[in-house]
C-alpha cells in the first residue's frame, strides 16, 4: 500500500533531453532542465536550470530562471533571472532580481494594474486570466 505524503512539498521534474509539447498545469513546484513547448500554470514555483528551454507562457507564484525563456510570464511574487538566463518576451511581476550577465529583451510590467491588464489581453489565451486569478487565490 502506498503512503500518503500529502503533508510535504511536491516537486515535478522535467529532465535534460526531455521535451514536453503542451500545457502543464499543477499546484506544485516544477523544476525544468529540458524543453517545454507550451504553457506552465502552477500555484508554486518554476525553477529552470541553465539547460532549460521554455517556449510559452508561464503563470506562477515565483520563477527562478537560469535557462532560455520566450513568451509571457505572469508571476505573483518574484522572478529571479540568473546570470545564464536569456529572456525574450514580457514579464509581469511585483519583484524582479536580475543577476549581472542575464539577458532580457522585452517588456517589464511591475504594477498590479498592468499585470491584470496583461492577463486579460494575453498573447494566445491559453494561460488565461481565470488561471491567474485561481493561482493568486
Amino acid at each position: 500500500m502506498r503512503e500518503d505524503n500529502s503533508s510535504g512539498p511536491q516537486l515535478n521534474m522535467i529532465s535534460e533531453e526531455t521535451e514536453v509539447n503542451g500545457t502543464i498545469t499543477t499546484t506544485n513546484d516544477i523544476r525544468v532542465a529540458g524543453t517545454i513547448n507550451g504553457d506552465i500554470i502552477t500555484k508554486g514555483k518554476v525553477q529552470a536550470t541553465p539547460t532549460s528551454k521554455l517556449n510559452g507562457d508561464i503563470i506562477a507564484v515565483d520563477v527562478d530562471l537560469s535557462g532560455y525563456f520566450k513568451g509571457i510570464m505572469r508571476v505573483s511574487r518574484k522572478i529571479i533571472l540568473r546570470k545564464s538566463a536569456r529572456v525574450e518576451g514580457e514579464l509581469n511581476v511585483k519583484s524582479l532580481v536580475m543577476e549581472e550577465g542575464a539577458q532580457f529583451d522585452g517588456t517589464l510590467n511591475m504594477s498590479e494594474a498592468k499585470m491584470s491588464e496583461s492577463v486579460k489581453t494575453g498573447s494566445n489565451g491559453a494561460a488565461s486570466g481565470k488561471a491567474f486569478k485561481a493561482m493568486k487565490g
Side-chain angles (χ1 to χ4, degrees):
M1 182 169 222
R2 196 176 126 211
E3 264 186 57
D4 183 13
N5 259 352
S6 60
S7 62
Q10 302 294 315
L11 177 67
N12 297 291
M13 295 176 51
I14 307 296
S15 302
E16 285 185 56
E17 299 186 30
T18 299
E19 182 174 326
V20 175
N21 295 299
T23 299
I24 296 174
T25 304
T26 182
T27 57
N28 302 310
D29 293 350
I30 184 165
R31 182 176 190 274
V32 182
T35 300
I36 297 179
N37 297 307
D39 299 336
I40 300 172
I41 303 168
T42 179
K43 290 186 178 184
K45 177 180 184 175
V46 176
Q47 181 180 9
T49 70
T51 60
S52 65
K53 293 179 182 74
L54 308 176
N55 299 294
D57 294 351
I58 294 177
I59 294 177
V61 174
D62 292 300
V63 172
D64 188 336
L65 182 72
S66 297
Y68 173 79
F69 171 78
K70 184 174 183 177
I72 297 175
M73 277 193 215
R74 296 173 186 89
V75 178
S76 60
R77 280 198 306 217
K78 179 168 47 174
I79 296 173
I80 300 172
L81 299 180
R82 302 290 177 183
K83 64 182 176 183
S84 57
R86 294 182 334 265
V87 176
E88 296 178 45
E90 181 180 314
L91 304 181
N92 300 279
V93 66
K94 288 182 182 177
S95 176
L96 174 68
V97 176
M98 190 169 170
E99 292 182 353
E100 186 175 346
Q103 298 175 18
F104 174 59
D105 183 16
T107 305
L108 173 63
N109 297 312
M110 295 185 75
S111 73
E112 190 69 36
K114 291 237 183 207
M115 286 178 64
S116 297
E117 182 180 319
S118 174
V119 169
K120 289 179 194 168
T121 61
S123 65
N124 62 12
S128 70
K130 192 181 282 186
F132 182 73
K133 287 176 186 162
M135 182 263 312
K136 286 181 73 176

